[in-house]
Structures are given as structure tokens and as C-alpha cells.
Amino acid sequence: MIEHKFSSISNLSKYLQVSRTTLYKRAKEHNITLSGFYSDEQLKKLSGVQYMNTNNEHVKHSNGHIEQRNEHFEQEITFLKKQLSDQNKHVALIINQLKEKDNQIGLLNKNLDQAQQLQLIAEQRLTETKSTLIEFQEKEKNTKKGFWNKLFG
């Protein structure tokens, strides 16, 4: 049995490529005292290397667990894909609604333009009619002569 010596917990954690927190947890799990001297077996336990059972029960259990997790992940992926598809449909619907609103705004702007042009034309005609009416009234005033004025005028 070979013993390995480490001057600090940090050096041991670097050697095993685990964090110090993980090192303390594994030492507690396996009742290993972190004294500075460690056997090969203790180093393997601290590094997280596990021995396989000869009857492969552990491997079978792990494989079953992995298959369950894979199935669970596939279900989650399917669910997320469906959600993404639903959201894409919703976004497409919103985009279509926005396009329709843009078209409506365009039509409203066109109608507003036409209304303003018609109002301008109506104001111009009203101004022309008013000036014509004033001219007519002035001519009428000048041409009106009284009865006596017509006889003797």
C-alpha cells in the first residue's frame, strides 16, 4: 500500500481535480480524515472513482435511470417544441394583424387627405361665391334708383 503525501487540502484538490468543497463532502461520506497522508484507495474514493459490482447490478440500475432521464428529457423537448410552435403561430397571427392595421392606417390617411382637399376646394369656392355676391350687391346698390330719380333723373 503506497501512501501519498500532500502539504495542503488545496494541493490535494488540484491533484484530484475537484473543488475543496467536494473534497470535504467526499471525505465525510467515506470517513476519511484529511491528514495529509492518503492511500491509493482513499484517493480513489476522494476523486469520485467508484468500483463496479461484479454482478453489474449497479450498472443495470444506472442504465435504467439514464433511460428514464432520457425519456423525461425527450418529453420535455417535445413539450418545448410544441410551445415554440404555438408561440410562432401566435407571432405570425400578430404580424398579420399588424399588417392589417397598417393597411387600415394607410386607407385612413388617404381618406383624410381627400377630406382635406375637398375642404380646401369648398373653402375656395365659398370665397369665390362670397366675392361674387359682394360684387353683385355693390352693383345692385348703384343701379337702384328711386321712382322720382327715374322720372327726373
Side-chain angles (χ1 to χ4, degrees):
M1 181 161 97
I2 301 173
E3 283 208 359
H4 301 276
K5 181 181 178 190
F6 293 92
S7 59
S8 69
I9 300 297
S10 295
N11 288 342
L12 177 61
S13 68
K14 287 178 188 174
Y15 175 78
L16 297 174
Q17 296 179 350
V18 296
S19 69
R20 290 180 52 187
T21 307
T22 303
L23 190 61
Y24 282 113
K25 286 180 184 178
R26 289 182 182 163
K28 186 177 180 182
E29 285 176 14
H30 299 287
N31 294 323
I32 299 173
T33 306
L34 298 175
S35 61
F37 294 97
Y38 308 97
S39 67
D40 288 337
E41 186 179 329
Q42 288 176 327
L43 289 176
K44 285 181 182 178
K45 287 181 180 178
L46 291 173
S47 69
V49 175
Q50 296 187 358
Y51 298 100
M52 294 180 63
N53 293 340
T54 55
N55 59 6
N56 291 328
E57 287 293 323
H58 181 70
V59 173
K60 288 178 185 175
H61 179 70
S62 293
N63 286 343
H65 183 66
I66 289 170
E67 287 174 9
Q68 286 177 345
R69 291 187 77 194
N70 284 344
E71 187 177 316
H72 176 72
F73 287 140
E74 286 176 13
Q75 289 173 352
E76 279 192 49
I77 289 170
T78 303
F79 176 73
L80 292 173
K81 282 181 179 178
K82 185 181 180 322
Q83 275 188 330
L84 185 60
S85 173
D86 291 346
Q87 286 180 350
N88 285 342
K89 289 176 186 174
H90 186 68
V91 167
L93 179 66
I94 290 173
I95 288 172
N96 286 338
Q97 288 174 346
L98 288 174
K99 286 179 182 178
E100 187 177 319
K101 295 295 179 189
D102 283 346
N103 289 340
Q104 289 175 353
I105 289 171
L107 287 174
L108 287 173
N109 283 337
K110 184 178 175 182
N111 289 341
L112 181 62
D113 254 0
Q114 289 175 351
Q116 288 174 342
Q117 288 173 358
L118 286 174
Q119 184 178 2
L120 181 62
I121 291 170
E123 286 176 1
Q124 288 172 346
R125 287 185 182 169
L126 183 62
T127 305
E128 290 172 4
T129 305
K130 190 176 181 182
S131 61
T132 307
L133 181 62
I134 291 173
E135 288 175 17
F136 179 74
Q137 286 174 347
E138 286 178 4
K139 284 181 184 178
E140 200 173 89
K141 279 183 187 177
N142 293 339
T143 58
K144 278 192 175 181
K145 294 183 179 177
F147 175 74
W148 296 111
N149 206 2
K150 286 180 185 178
L151 285 176
F152 300 109

